[in-house]
Amino acid sequence: MVPGEHAEDAIVADAGNGKDGEVLRAMGIGGDDDAERQQHGDGGFGLKSFLWHGGSVWDAWFSCASNQVAQVLLTLPYSFAQLGMVSGVLLQIFYGLMGSWTAYLISVLYVEYRARKEKEGISFKNHVIQWFEVLDGLLGPYWKAAGLAFNCTFLLFGSVIQLIACASNIYYINDRLDKRTWTYIFGACCATTVFIPSFHNYRVWSFLGLGMTTYTAWYITIAAAVHGKVDGVTHSGPDKLVLYFTGATNILYTFGGHAVTVEIMHAMWKPRKFKYIYLLATLYVFTLTLPSAAAMYWAFGDELLTHSNAFSLLPRNGWRDAAVILMLIHQFITFGFACTPLYFVWEKVVGMHETRSVCLRALVRLPIVVPIWFLAIIFPFFGPINSAVGALLVSFTVYVIPALAHILTYRSASARLNAAEKPPSFLPSWSGMFVVNAFVVAWVLVVGFGLGGWASVTNFVKQIDTFGLFAKCYQCPPKTHPGAPLPAPPHH
């Protein structure tokens, strides 16, 4: 019999004590990290455990919140210029709640998969469960293939976006090197994430990352308010359908950062407690994204249509430079977040996933970084690439596949009767859950993938036609120091 939540908690509480620790590990509920956590918690303070071995509810909350608001914070004002103020606010709230719902579905499916496997006596010691494995175990190999394809491609381009963002941001502090050269440099820096074994080890990084983003968001808000409206400011959005749906899919991308949900859950000491963590993280993220995007659009209006990075319009001073540097560090962290699941997949492919040696695993992981580096140099389109990834990849990975998978997993009466997790208290009916899931699938397929895909791909192709592939310095302003000036960015 698989223990319920209270039984699981009781076993975890005694994880450091001989037999109980062995039982825990055999059931795959924790493993060595749980025992080590209890050892440090009960037997004295352990600095390594405190800084390195994270698996609490708070660790998961920081990971989710930190992973949601990286470079996309800088592109949301651009989206508001495309959408207009009212649509910008409403769509953030709508997609934030929808993203929280599908993150909840993923957590339910993870618990279901793990419960079924533990009934079969399977242990997950030294093995990180991933989303495609959950789909395989619950729905079969075709779903595994779909989950693997969409998730890996999304995470690949998510990592690409972080590199592009690094180059775009550092340019506003030091424009002596063009953005392409900065991409080379930051690609080498981000490659060092191969040494971080798993999401257990992001405890301090997640905490710092969210602090950095919080500073940046409130700096943008206050700086825009202090700057005030530019002379002759206009707020014409929404003006064109292409721009409207491009902006909408960027927001869909913003609240679709849970391609790593399963890995974050697996890193928890008590994964069942994940249920509402993503929603709580999203509510905090609203306090960062809504004020900053609204203030920037109020101050600069349509100028944002040709400045997809919010930093490009704010006056240079120590506060802005501090925000740029903090965002650079956070983007390094987010690069690691996006790449770590890819590292796991690759390790499993080459048979090195359960290897204990950090250095050997790092060496095996390096080939993953090379294509990310190369793609960031080919498509350096900060802003438009977020929308394209949102429409073509996030729509399926984060919204459509989890909702459909939940419907199919619990379509039979026996599956519902024996479900490891029952419907939530706020929606206690299985039928109600299926209706909400069907709405999510229909909305995202039509508005996110259909209209959003058309708009974002159209805009993306326009960037290629305007700037070309391998663009040396995408949307660079004229240089302020001696040298050949760069052309001003054209209007969309």
Side-chain angles (χ1 to χ4, degrees):
M1 176 180 174
V2 178
E5 188 168 355
H6 296 299
E8 178 186 335
D9 291 353
I11 292 171
V12 172
D14 294 324
N17 301 324
K19 269 188 180 177
D20 289 335
E22 292 175 19
V23 171
L24 172 64
R25 288 191 290 276
M27 294 176 61
I29 292 173
D32 295 337
D33 286 317
D34 297 80
E36 186 169 355
R37 170 183 70 107
Q38 291 296 330
Q39 181 182 351
H40 287 302
D42 299 334
F45 176 80
L47 184 62
K48 181 180 177 183
S49 179
F50 177 74
L51 297 176
W52 192 244
H53 290 296
S56 69
V57 169
W58 280 105
D59 288 310
W61 184 84
F62 277 113
S63 293
C64 289
S66 178
N67 193 45
Q68 270 194 57
V69 285
Q71 91 325 316
V72 77
L73 184 71
L74 307 176
T75 65
L76 285 173
Y78 168 67
S79 296
F80 267 50
Q82 297 169 320
L83 292 164
M85 187 74 78
V86 174
S87 288
V89 172
L90 291 179
L91 283 173
Q92 274 205 43
I93 295 171
F94 175 69
Y95 280 127
L97 295 177
M98 186 184 286
S100 298
W101 173 254
T102 54
Y104 170 78
L105 297 180
I106 291 172
S107 74
V108 167
L109 294 171
Y110 168 89
V111 170
E112 182 68 36
Y113 167 79
R114 190 160 181 174
R116 291 184 186 183
K117 291 299 180 184
E118 285 165 357
K119 280 183 181 178
E120 299 169 10
I122 294 175
S123 171
F124 295 104
K125 183 181 179 181
N126 299 330
H127 181 94
V128 177
I129 298 173
Q130 295 189 266
W131 177 228
F132 70 90
E133 292 169 318
V134 173
L135 291 172
D136 184 29
L138 297 178
L139 297 171
Y142 292 110
W143 280 85
K144 173 186 176 180
L148 193 58
F150 278 108
N151 223 40
C152 288
T153 309
F154 166 44
L155 291 168
L156 180 77
F157 277 97
S159 304
V160 168
I161 287 168
Q162 299 312 315
L163 281 189
I164 295 170
C166 285
S168 179
N169 290 345
I170 191 64
Y171 186 81
Y172 296 113
I173 289 182
N174 184 339
D175 62 356
R176 287 172 176 78
L177 299 176
D178 58 72
K179 290 181 183 179
R180 189 169 66 194
T181 303
W182 280 119
T183 305
Y184 292 137
I185 293 169
F186 277 99
C189 294
C190 288
T192 58
T193 57
V194 298
F195 290 101
I196 302 177
S198 75
F199 284 99
H200 280 293
N201 313 118
Y202 275 96
R203 164 172 277 182
V204 172
W205 291 116
S206 297
F207 176 78
L208 293 176
L210 190 59
M212 294 166 186
T213 313
T214 300
Y215 170 88
T216 302
W218 285 106
Y219 155 72
I220 291 172
T221 304
I222 295 168
V226 170
H227 184 280
K229 290 184 177 181
V230 296
D231 293 337
V233 65
T234 56
H235 300 86
S236 59
D239 186 31
K240 298 177 182 177
L241 280 177
V242 169
L243 295 182
Y244 186 87
F245 287 107
T246 300
T249 50
N250 186 42
I251 293 179
L252 177 135
Y253 170 83
T254 303
F255 296 99
H258 41 288
V260 295
T261 297
V262 171
E263 289 84 357
I264 291 173
M265 278 190 74
H266 192 82
M268 293 178 69
W269 295 316
K270 301 175 186 177
R272 286 175 182 265
K273 294 193 173 182
F274 183 88
K275 298 177 190 175
Y276 305 115
I277 286 176
Y278 196 88
L279 174 62
L280 296 174
T282 298
L283 294 177
Y284 180 78
V285 168
F286 283 154
T287 69
L288 306 181
T289 58
L290 288 169
S292 58
M296 282 295 294
Y297 183 53
W298 169 81
F300 296 98
D302 292 346
E303 279 192 45
L304 286 160
L305 291 172
T306 52
H307 296 79
S308 52
N309 187 328
F311 284 144
S312 64
L313 289 173
L314 294 170
R316 180 171 181 178
N317 53 39
W319 296 104
R320 192 195 76 165
D321 288 355
V324 171
I325 291 167
L326 290 177
M327 281 302 290
L328 286 172
I329 299 170
H330 187 222
Q331 280 152 359
F332 166 82
I333 298 166
T334 308
F335 181 93
F337 263 94
C339 260
T340 298
L342 293 176
Y343 295 153
F344 291 157
V345 172
W346 181 244
E347 287 169 2
K348 291 170 184 177
V349 169
V350 298
M352 299 293 287
H353 183 58
E354 297 187 5
T355 302
R356 290 282 189 174
S357 169
V358 172
C359 291
L360 185 57
R361 288 177 73 184
L363 189 62
V364 168
R365 291 171 168 190
L366 274 176
I368 298 298
V369 179
V370 175
I372 293 170
W373 209 349
F374 188 61
L375 287 167
I377 294 163
I378 298 177
F379 304 114
F381 310 127
F382 191 81
I385 194 171
N386 288 13
S387 299
V389 169
L392 303 180
L393 299 172
V394 175
S395 57
F396 285 96
T397 296
V398 170
Y399 299 97
V400 174
I401 291 178
L404 279 178
H406 187 272
I407 291 173
L408 294 175
T409 298
Y410 297 108
R411 65 188 181 276
S412 69
S414 61
R416 295 192 293 273
L417 182 65
N418 298 311
E421 288 284 344
K422 302 301 181 185
S425 56
F426 62 86
L427 191 64
S429 159
W430 284 102
S431 298
M433 291 192 76
F434 293 158
V435 168
V436 173
N437 290 344
F439 170 78
V440 169
V441 172
W443 177 277
V444 174
L445 282 177
V446 174
V447 178
F449 177 71
L451 295 172
W454 160 74
S456 57
V457 170
T458 300
N459 190 34
F460 192 76
V461 170
K462 187 174 183 180
Q463 306 306 307
I464 295 175
D465 291 342
T466 303
F467 295 94
L469 298 176
F470 300 97
K472 192 172 185 179
C473 214
Y474 175 70
Q475 286 191 341
C476 289
K479 290 190 177 182
T480 55
H481 57 80
L486 292 166
H491 289 276
H492 290 270

